[in-house]
Amino acid sequence: ELALRLGLQRDQALLGLAEDAAAGLELDQVLERAVAIAQEELEVELAAIWDVEEEGEVVRSLTHAGWPGETADEPGAEQADLWLPVCATLRAALDCGEPVLVSDTGPTEQRNGSDPAPWPLDAPIRSAAVVPFAGGGALLGAHSTRRDAIDRDGLRLLESIARVLGPRLAGR
């Protein structure tokens, strides 16, 4: 019953996002709502939509939620241990052009070789998911300090958000 309620809650959040996107709200507002949905529904500490240049390089966050410091664009030196895994998963999604899910990177366990981009085992980020938007141009990412915080259902949520926002982002 709990799983059914959580699924319904996610569906309602996606429907509201789709309605906002179709209603012509400002793109910034729609993106902020999308990142808030990702952060809240997945219960992750860090979520963002990243702008990608035509050359395939991540330029900046378009919007973010839960990021430490003033902005996700200019991390301080004290945040460097967060940025290595974040950048690694963004790069992995750009390189393969498909969603990336890293569900467990605990320091006491052996890596199984399937992690898309290794980072130090003692890094604070333990799980991550990054989804490219259709047609390129942006990535949606969620990162957590908790092990196994993002599962396949969470990845599907991010993919759904990217599908809903794709047409709006393509027209910017």
Side-chain angles (χ1 to χ4, degrees):
E1 185 178 324
L2 178 60
L4 184 59
R5 272 189 269 158
L6 289 175
L8 181 58
Q9 180 179 324
R10 284 184 177 177
D11 289 348
Q12 289 174 333
L14 284 169
L15 179 60
L17 180 64
E19 289 171 350
D20 288 349
L25 285 180
E26 292 292 322
L27 181 60
D28 289 347
Q29 292 176 309
V30 176
L31 297 180
E32 286 172 11
R33 173 120 190 247
V35 167
I37 290 169
Q39 184 187 33
E40 291 166 16
E41 293 296 322
L42 299 179
E43 298 178 354
V44 296
E45 295 88 348
L46 312 171
I49 296 175
W50 299 92
D51 195 17
V52 178
E53 289 182 332
E54 284 185 31
E55 296 81 27
E57 293 299 319
V58 176
V59 179
R60 63 186 173 95
S61 83
L62 294 172
T63 189
H64 54 276
W67 295 92
E70 291 299 313
T71 73
D73 297 328
E74 301 173 14
E78 70 281 357
Q79 299 165 2
D81 57 347
L82 289 174
W83 291 100
L84 180 59
V86 170
C87 292
T89 53
L90 295 173
R91 180 81 262 155
L94 284 172
D95 288 348
C96 72
E98 295 183 14
V100 169
L101 175 63
V102 179
S103 60
D104 189 352
T105 60
T108 61
E109 296 186 13
Q110 191 84 2
R111 282 221 168 81
N112 62 13
S114 65
D115 290 341
W119 59 73
L121 290 175
D122 61 350
I125 300 296
R126 295 283 186 249
S127 53
V130 178
V131 174
F133 284 80
L139 299 166
L140 172 59
H143 295 78
S144 179
T145 58
R146 292 178 295 114
R147 299 169 96 186
D148 298 320
I150 307 166
D151 59 11
R152 298 235 177 258
D153 287 339
L155 184 64
R156 282 191 284 276
L157 172 67
L158 296 179
E159 290 174 311
S160 296
I161 291 171
R163 276 193 299 277
V164 166
L165 294 182
R168 284 295 303 270
L169 277 173
R172 62 185 164 116

